[in-house]
Amino acid sequence: MSQLLNNGEISSVDLTRAHLDRISEVDGQVKAFLFVDHDGALAQAELVDAKRRSGENLSPLAGVPLALKDVMTQRGIPTTCGSKMLEGWRPPYDSTVVTKLRSADVVILGKTNCDEFAMGSSTENSAYFPTRNPWDLTRIPGGSGGGSSASLASYEAPLAIGTDTGGSIRQPAAVTGTVGVKPTYGGVSRYGLVAFSSSLDQAGPCARTVLDVAYLHEAIAGHDPLDSTSINAPVPPIVAAAKDGNVKGMKIGVIKELQGDGYQPGVLKLFNQSLEELAKLGAEIVEVSCKYFDYALAAYYLIAPSECSSNLARFDAMRYGLRIGEGSAEEVMNSTRSAGFGKEVKRRIILGTYALSSGYYDAYYGSAQKVRTLISQDFKDAFEKVDVLVSPTAPTTAFKIGEKSNDPIAMYLNDIATIPTNLAGVCGMSLPSGLAEEDGLPAGFQIMAGAMKDDRLYKVGAALESALTKKWGGGILGKAPKLVAK
Ligand code: GLN
């Protein structure tokens, strides 16, 4: 698209209109968007076209449309976080990610659906509606960023922004056959990302190919004085690594603890075939044990709810969005929070408040933080032996809508392979490994690298993508989703 724009074969207005038309045509079925900024997107596209006509030097993504996860603020545009609590709220400021997208002249099409406050793995926890998987409309598109992943897989948008606290970029990418990266913690500013679990949250790029993700990653990364956890160091050479894609001599560690029981056989088969491809390209494949990873899920479900119980205290009916009832401040807060939050958000606030309460703090939150340190140490030890670590991204392909909605533990288990990365603050990518033999649905291959070694994800990802494109023929998966219910 960028080349067509640069060659003057199409305008950004054409490209934007084509995507808006596609959204009107298919989003009634896919339901990826909570808000489509029809006029705003076209106005922005016109501005970019004018800049191009006047010969301005433009960024590689100038004029290309993008879908923004609805937990990111964009000035004047509804930002709901998939919650009734923020219905009707229009933020008075842009997140830093949006500021950067604007300075790269990316055209923002609208806001994508997600699990309420990004808590979930299926987008069924959205207070508005579930989003559907373009490969089979009766299945989930992953979560929490299912709107972003579904918009890519259904060709409603070529680029999307996600956020990943425990897997919400990578697991949706895996189950929709798209590519997503959780950058190193602090690599992309969190300013304007509505906080769920501040020590884990990280915004990141999503697209259909590794190179597209690389361009988007470079556009949004970098130090931001408005986020005190933002890393003040140069952005790793991401696009160069994606163009290089040479894994000869690289050491790739397969994590012993992230396979076997609970993993779908077809997903494991594709994972092993991908390893063979990487070996053929000259990478050395070794097995690595990260023994504390078995405790990652338990630690995450104490740390994330604890931070969420504190972060979500700001939704007190006084400052943002919803206000219900009359009487004292306590009464209004009570009725507003009872009505405004959904079941999963309430569950986590209660869990987190309990885990932080005096008398239980050391036993729960304190222990979880110790486990977190051990997991970081596992990564550190592993990265002394290997350049990257790999695993399946999610244990299964997309499940049916409704299948796990009444079983929180089954839902939480989706993130078993993605959570360790967040706990340690390192980076991870998911890219498609193929279509599983049991159900013909996409599976994900996860690559993990150390802090600020994001370029390694792209090196390995690009190598595997080009090998698999040859293997499956015609696009990395050999097919495009058909947007039908199976
Ligand atoms: N599915 C995980 C959870 O429910 C991760 C969510 C996320 O990364 N935002 O917390």
Side-chain angles (χ1 to χ4, degrees):
M1 290 175 200
S2 175
Q3 273 166 10
L4 293 174
L5 288 166
N6 280 329
N7 299 341
E9 287 174 61
I10 53 168
S11 68
S12 177
V13 168
D14 295 336
L15 190 58
T16 303
R17 195 164 276 139
H19 283 95
L20 291 168
D21 287 350
R22 177 74 177 162
I23 294 170
S24 345
E25 192 191 322
V26 304
D27 209 50
Q29 292 164 279
V30 179
K31 305 196 80 68
F33 283 86
L34 286 168
F35 179 80
V36 179
D37 187 16
H38 194 274
D39 297 346
L42 285 172
Q44 208 188 340
E46 263 170 42
L47 278 176
V48 187
D49 284 338
K51 281 192 189 177
R52 202 182 297 273
R53 275 196 303 273
S54 72
E56 256 187 62
N57 205 2
L58 297 175
S59 94
L61 297 180
V64 179
L66 170 140
L68 186 65
K69 186 175 177 184
D70 202 28
V71 293
M72 280 292 202
T73 61
Q74 181 184 349
R75 192 177 345 126
I77 300 291
T79 299
T80 67
C81 299
S83 180
K84 292 284 174 192
M85 190 56 102
L86 281 175
E87 194 166 20
W89 183 57
R90 291 180 186 250
Y93 70 108
D94 279 336
S95 53
T96 296
V97 164
V98 165
T99 304
K100 290 202 179 236
L101 291 171
R102 288 223 181 276
S103 62
D105 288 308
V106 172
V107 173
I108 302 175
L109 293 169
K111 308 297 288 289
T112 52
N113 198 17
C114 54
D115 286 301
E116 187 173 5
F117 289 104
M119 298 174 200
S121 307
S122 67
T123 315
E124 291 165 294
N125 295 338
S126 163
Y128 298 93
F129 41 76
T131 298
R132 293 163 188 279
N133 190 319
W135 290 86
D136 174 353
L137 298 172
T138 67
R139 291 176 189 264
I140 59 105
S144 61
S148 288
S149 64
S151 73
L152 296 170
S154 60
Y155 290 77
E156 293 174 319
L159 301 170
I161 294 292
T163 63
D164 191 313
T165 303
S168 284
I169 287 175
R170 290 162 290 159
Q171 180 260 10
V175 300
T176 57
T178 57
V179 186
V181 165
K182 182 204 96 71
T184 297
Y185 183 78
V188 173
S189 172
R190 287 186 298 110
Y191 179 75
L193 158 56
V194 179
F196 157 18
S197 179
S198 312
S199 76
L200 302 164
D201 296 340
Q202 192 54 200
C206 314
R208 287 186 295 262
T209 72
V210 172
L211 187 60
D212 290 352
V213 175
Y215 276 110
L216 183 55
H217 193 154
E218 277 199 4
I220 60 172
H223 180 241
D224 179 13
L226 296 174
D227 169 3
S228 63
T229 59
S230 158
I231 295 174
N232 194 354
V235 177
I238 289 165
V239 170
K243 287 185 173 166
D244 168 47
N246 182 359
V247 291
K248 210 173 166 71
M250 274 183 98
K251 275 197 164 179
I252 297 182
V254 180
I255 301 175
K256 198 172 106 199
E257 286 74 11
L258 299 182
Q259 46 189 316
D261 272 3
Y263 288 80
Q264 186 178 322
V267 170
L268 286 177
K269 186 170 166 187
L270 291 166
F271 175 68
N272 288 319
Q273 286 176 344
S274 301
L275 291 177
E276 281 165 28
E277 294 297 326
L278 288 168
K280 275 194 238 159
L281 294 170
E284 189 188 335
I285 315 286
V286 295
E287 193 175 76
V288 174
S289 170
C290 292
K291 58 179 189 294
Y292 292 106
F293 279 24
D294 289 342
Y295 304 97
L297 194 73
Y300 174 89
Y301 277 100
L302 287 165
I303 293 167
S306 295
E307 293 187 14
C308 123
S309 72
S310 159
N311 273 327
L312 271 59
R314 77 193 60 184
F315 302 108
D316 57 3
M318 308 294 147
R319 285 174 286 191
Y320 317 86
L322 196 68
R323 177 182 294 193
I324 286 177
E326 288 168 27
S328 69
E330 282 73 17
E331 281 163 343
V332 172
M333 251 182 248
N334 191 341
S335 45
T336 303
R337 286 169 69 86
S338 298
F341 289 137
K343 212 165 76 183
E344 182 62 24
V345 172
K346 284 181 186 159
R347 178 183 293 127
R348 295 199 190 193
I349 291 173
I350 293 168
L351 256 170
T353 306
Y354 182 77
L356 291 176
S357 59
S358 66
Y360 295 103
Y361 183 96
D362 286 339
Y364 295 113
Y365 185 72
S367 308
Q369 289 289 31
K370 287 180 190 156
V371 170
R372 187 173 189 176
T373 303
L374 293 170
I375 287 166
S376 297
Q377 193 60 46
D378 265 352
F379 271 113
K380 219 171 145 231
D381 294 345
F383 288 134
E384 272 169 22
K385 291 179 227 140
V386 297
D387 299 306
V388 294
L389 291 163
V390 295
S391 76
T393 309
T396 67
T397 55
F399 49 88
K400 292 270 184 192
I401 291 174
E403 191 180 320
K404 300 190 182 183
S405 35
N406 292 319
D407 187 350
I409 303 278
M411 191 69 88
Y412 297 170
L413 282 168
N414 269 283
D415 304 312
I416 194 135
T418 46
I419 277 174
T421 316
N422 302 78
L423 288 172
V426 299
C427 56
M429 169 187 282
S430 177
L431 78 157
S433 57
L435 300 173
E437 59 191 10
E438 297 92 350
D439 47 26
L441 294 167
F445 185 91
Q446 180 178 224
I447 307 162
M448 291 156 272
M452 294 307 270
K453 300 279 189 282
D454 304 50
D455 50 317
R456 292 189 187 169
L457 306 175
Y458 289 91
K459 234 182 191 191
V460 179
L464 180 59
E465 181 185 54
S466 85
L468 290 177
T469 302
K470 283 185 204 122
K471 188 177 166 78
W472 308 125
I476 184 164
L477 292 167
K479 296 191 194 171
K482 296 227 161 51
L483 273 59
V484 289
K486 289 193 188 144

